[in-house]
Amino acid sequence: MSTATRRLTTAQALVRFLAAQHTERDGVRRRLIAGIWGVFGHGNVAGIGQALVEHADVMPFHQGRNEQSMVHAAVGYARQLNRLSAQAVTTSIGPGATNLVTGAALATVNRLPVLLLPGDYFASHAADPLLQQLEHPVEADVSVNDTLRPVSRYFDRITRPEALIPSALNAVRVLADPAGTGAVTLALPQDVQAEAFDWPEEFFAERVWHVRRPAPDPAELAEAVRLVRAARRPLVVAGGGVHHSEAEAALRAFADATGIPVASTQAGKGSLRHDHPADLGGIGHTGTAVADGLARTADLVIGVGTRYTDFTTASGTLFQNPDVRFLNLNITAFDAHKLAARTLVCDARTGLEQLAEALPGHRVDPAYEAEYRTGKERWERVVEAACRADDDGAVPTQTQVIGALDAVVGDDDVVINAAGSLPGDLHKLWRARSPRQYHLEYGYSCMGYEIPAAIGVQQAAPGTPVWALVGDGTYLMMPTEIVTAVQEGLPVKVVLVQNHGYASIGGLSESVGAERFGTAYRHRAADGTFTGAPLPVDLAANAASLGMDVLRARTVGELREALATARAAGRPTCVYVETDPSPTAPPAEAWWDVPVAGTASREAAVRARREYDRQAAGRRRHL
């Protein structure tokens, strides 16, 4: 073993180390940390900041405007590349660090890798208290970075240079682990960042982290085969793990061979093309009529790479067959065991391939195939009616915006959304044509995600048209990364849908007896009362002021032209459209549990509670 050393600061050593880390899966090698996002302040400017200048030859740097947004961009990047490549985010201490928490939670909830490098207080306590330091009266080793512990899959505070060696290795191990990935935090005290140390040369050697494709246990596989053969009304629920594993072709082959239909979660949509005979579209509260109808009568539900959130299970009310059983294929045992399922703890692609091989000649009854194909045809007519716009001079509805965008995008375009009323409409109506086209962040459903995520996706897929589809509420949360898109020369496309309020929560508020309180953007008159007049704000002008080209579309015809122009544009472009607020999306096909006031004097809440009690009575505990 070599005894050679290299004298570097801790921050410089970290940058050199990260530049030498790679992943490999199926013989394809990728750089693990492809770049670092940063907003500099005290706590990282003299450490990580100087290191990035010193070693600019090995580590690309991207300047962000908001720390949370930078994490969203990194998450979008990692998701586009199937978690095989990621980015890091560096921040100052104090508010820069705490601004990471929401993005970290989103990454960990969605099982997506991102490396967080927040600055921290002096390990030596030489200067104490610092600017922005939160002083704890009895725990002096606590800092605001401890807020990142519960939302990180790995956390360490590097209080000595030599402590970086094992911690950095553990950090990249977790980032590259398909069963354990998420946000990883290395809190970096600012004095330690700048401290010089003699590092072993082996620390900077090229390392390749093999991303495993574990096969199913033979006994589990045999039990899975028995369950599938015994089932008369099986249904696959495809989750995000299908995409992460690049298992789309294996799923298609499984459906082709067995005739078992496939419904998809928000993260799993696009696992099959929308026009595949076995694709039923979305499932759950925002699912299609055909998918939810089959889910209610399924006797075997085969979950592939899904976490079974409440939207997927309709808060435990969807799978109503008294004999229903669950078979969960998941690389994470924690998720595989949900709903008291029989398990296949394995890689999604490997598991589907082996399951198909073990079922030669097995196929569902032709009558069952005919049933779900007829239901699929009926639902397609619902989609056409909701998205069709016959009058080019009319103000478009939100579903007609979806239809117009569907007509413009190519098979490989990426459409990004996360919050508001759009996720429900998209899950029901969007016709996904490729595995990466439908990019919904619905694990954390974070308002403000779309624009920064589009930047990350555009970095990961240069030359691919990337669309951030946002409502006015989510736009107002986090539009500042538009400046970053302009600075980086990334031609993202923003479709800004203005309906003057929180449409999704407004509808929910009405349904639970809260009477849409606090969900509309209304002008406050001089006497303190609210009027029905919309606020005198111009979000299109705001986008233009941040550097975007803006196309205003007032009618269906103008919208079609603007979308086509935006798709061809070579710089960041916004299509702004005010929509007709009339509800045109199909209603929910399944319930979602939002508890309603147990007692109230207002009739709206009393009615809502009666309906809540009726729906909740259908909840099942699958044991």
Side-chain angles (χ1 to χ4, degrees):
M1 180 179 292
S2 171
T3 58
T5 60
R6 190 186 313 187
R7 192 160 184 80
L8 298 170
T9 68
T10 304
Q12 292 166 0
L14 178 59
V15 169
R16 298 299 301 195
F17 169 83
L18 293 175
Q21 309 305 306
H22 300 81
T23 63
E24 177 275 323
R25 187 171 73 181
D26 303 330
V28 178
R29 177 170 157 169
R30 292 183 181 272
R31 183 165 170 166
L32 176 58
I33 302 298
I36 295 181
W37 288 94
V39 172
F40 290 113
H42 88 103
N44 70 337
V45 65
I48 292 290
Q50 191 282 327
L52 288 168
V53 174
E54 187 90 7
H55 300 289
D57 58 321
V58 297
M59 184 59 69
F61 172 73
H62 309 291
Q63 184 182 41
R65 269 73 199 173
N66 175 284
E67 292 85 359
Q68 178 181 322
S69 291
M70 294 190 298
V71 184
H72 293 338
V75 166
Y77 179 93
R79 176 170 169 171
Q80 181 68 20
L81 295 176
N82 298 317
R83 308 191 297 190
L84 298 172
S85 184
Q87 295 175 323
V89 177
T90 178
T91 72
S92 63
I93 70 171
T98 51
N99 278 353
L100 295 173
V101 174
T102 297
L106 180 148
T108 297
V109 163
N110 286 288
R111 317 306 206 248
L112 292 166
V114 59
L115 176 61
L116 308 179
L117 305 172
D120 213 327
Y121 314 144
F122 282 70
S124 65
H125 292 263
D128 188 63
L130 300 176
L131 172 67
Q132 299 177 330
Q133 181 172 347
L134 175 69
E135 294 183 272
H136 196 286
V138 296
E139 295 183 74
D141 62 339
V142 168
S143 83
V144 295
N145 284 329
D146 287 280
T147 60
L148 289 160
R149 288 182 184 270
V151 293
S152 297
R153 293 306 302 265
Y154 180 82
F155 179 99
D156 196 9
R157 179 175 286 111
I158 311 301
T159 57
R160 289 293 307 141
E162 58 267 34
L164 177 66
I165 295 175
S167 188
L169 290 165
N170 276 321
V172 295
R173 172 187 58 79
V174 173
L175 289 169
D177 181 358
T181 196
V184 168
T185 300
L186 297 181
L188 301 171
Q190 58 178 307
D191 53 345
V192 178
Q193 287 184 50
E195 187 173 342
F197 184 75
D198 293 323
W199 302 88
E201 282 290 347
E202 289 87 355
F203 187 55
F204 308 113
E206 294 279 320
R207 283 182 173 82
V208 179
W209 299 80
H210 177 68
V211 179
R212 299 180 298 276
R213 288 196 180 277
D217 176 83
E220 288 192 337
L221 182 61
E223 174 64 6
V225 169
R226 185 190 69 78
L227 288 171
V228 174
R229 288 194 180 280
R232 295 294 174 263
R233 299 183 66 81
L235 172 68
V236 169
V237 175
V242 175
H243 294 311
H244 299 328
S245 179
E246 299 175 292
E248 297 90 356
L251 178 61
R252 184 174 63 250
F254 180 78
D256 288 342
T258 64
I260 297 175
V262 177
S264 56
T265 69
Q266 286 279 18
K269 194 172 173 75
S271 295
L272 291 182
R273 269 185 64 103
H274 74 94
D275 52 3
H276 189 283
D279 180 65
L280 307 182
I283 191 170
H285 177 63
T286 53
T288 67
V290 58
D292 286 352
L294 261 67
R296 291 186 178 95
T297 61
D299 58 0
L300 179 66
V301 178
I302 306 170
V304 183
T306 177
R307 298 187 300 118
Y308 285 113
T309 67
D310 60 342
F311 258 59
T312 297
T313 68
S315 300
T317 64
L318 186 58
F319 304 111
Q320 286 297 318
N321 187 324
D323 298 319
V324 66
R325 295 294 180 266
F326 295 86
L327 170 64
N328 291 340
L329 193 164
N330 204 296
I331 200 166
T332 304
F334 177 83
D335 292 317
H337 282 275
K338 288 176 178 175
L339 302 177
R342 296 293 189 270
T343 62
L344 280 174
V345 180
C346 59
D347 170 75
R349 193 176 84 180
T350 302
L352 285 168
E353 289 172 345
Q354 293 197 12
L355 186 58
E357 290 171 6
L359 290 164
H362 177 76
R363 193 168 185 87
V364 299
D365 189 279
Y368 184 51
E369 281 193 80
E371 176 189 342
Y372 71 68
R373 291 189 182 193
T374 299
K376 177 180 172 67
E377 291 170 2
R378 282 198 301 269
W379 184 257
E380 184 59 30
R381 292 192 289 272
V382 172
V383 173
E384 289 290 344
C387 295
R388 184 176 61 246
D390 297 322
D391 182 0
D392 276 7
V395 175
T397 65
Q398 182 164 284
T399 58
Q400 288 170 342
V401 172
I402 292 172
L405 183 60
D406 176 70
V408 166
V409 300
D411 285 8
D412 294 323
D413 290 27
V414 180
V415 177
I416 300 171
N417 186 245
S421 57
L422 280 164
D425 292 356
L426 288 163
H427 200 205
K428 295 188 191 88
L429 304 175
W430 188 262
R431 292 172 280 208
R433 287 171 262 168
S434 65
R436 284 278 157 246
Q437 186 181 71
Y438 187 88
H439 181 128
L440 259 284
E441 188 290 293
Y442 215 61
Y444 211 52
S445 187
C446 186
M447 295 178 72
Y449 171 83
E450 294 91 342
I451 294 172
I455 291 171
V457 171
Q458 192 75 83
Q459 288 178 322
T464 297
V466 179
W467 303 81
L469 185 53
V470 299
D472 48 354
T474 194
Y475 176 86
L476 286 167
M477 284 280 182
M478 209 165 291
T480 51
E481 295 310 315
I482 287 173
V483 177
T484 302
V486 173
Q487 177 177 324
E488 297 265 338
L490 298 170
V492 297
K493 296 95 173 58
V494 173
V495 180
L496 176 49
V497 180
Q498 170 68 283
N499 56 24
H500 301 286
Y502 298 114
S504 173
I505 297 302
L508 178 62
S509 173
E510 186 172 31
S511 72
V512 299
E515 303 177 45
R516 293 186 176 263
F517 178 77
T519 63
Y521 301 155
R522 294 183 297 170
H523 182 71
R524 189 188 292 272
D527 63 359
T529 60
F530 286 103
T531 72
L535 295 176
V537 297
D538 189 339
L539 299 184
N542 176 261
S545 75
L546 296 176
M548 290 199 107
D549 290 343
V550 176
L551 307 169
R552 294 177 184 259
R554 297 171 180 81
T555 66
V556 169
E558 291 178 1
L559 175 63
R560 292 188 180 119
E561 292 177 6
L563 291 172
T565 300
R567 187 173 189 273
R571 67 180 314 276
T573 302
C574 173
V575 175
Y576 174 85
V577 55
E578 294 201 36
T579 55
D580 180 342
S582 304
T584 53
E589 296 289 338
W591 188 54
W592 181 41
D593 188 349
V594 178
V596 176
T599 182
S601 59
R602 298 179 70 86
E603 180 58 27
V606 173
R607 287 195 308 268
R609 182 66 196 199
R610 284 197 297 266
E611 176 62 14
Y612 177 84
D613 290 339
R614 186 184 73 81
Q615 294 281 5
R619 193 196 317 274
R620 291 185 61 188
R621 295 288 187 186
H622 296 285
L623 301 173

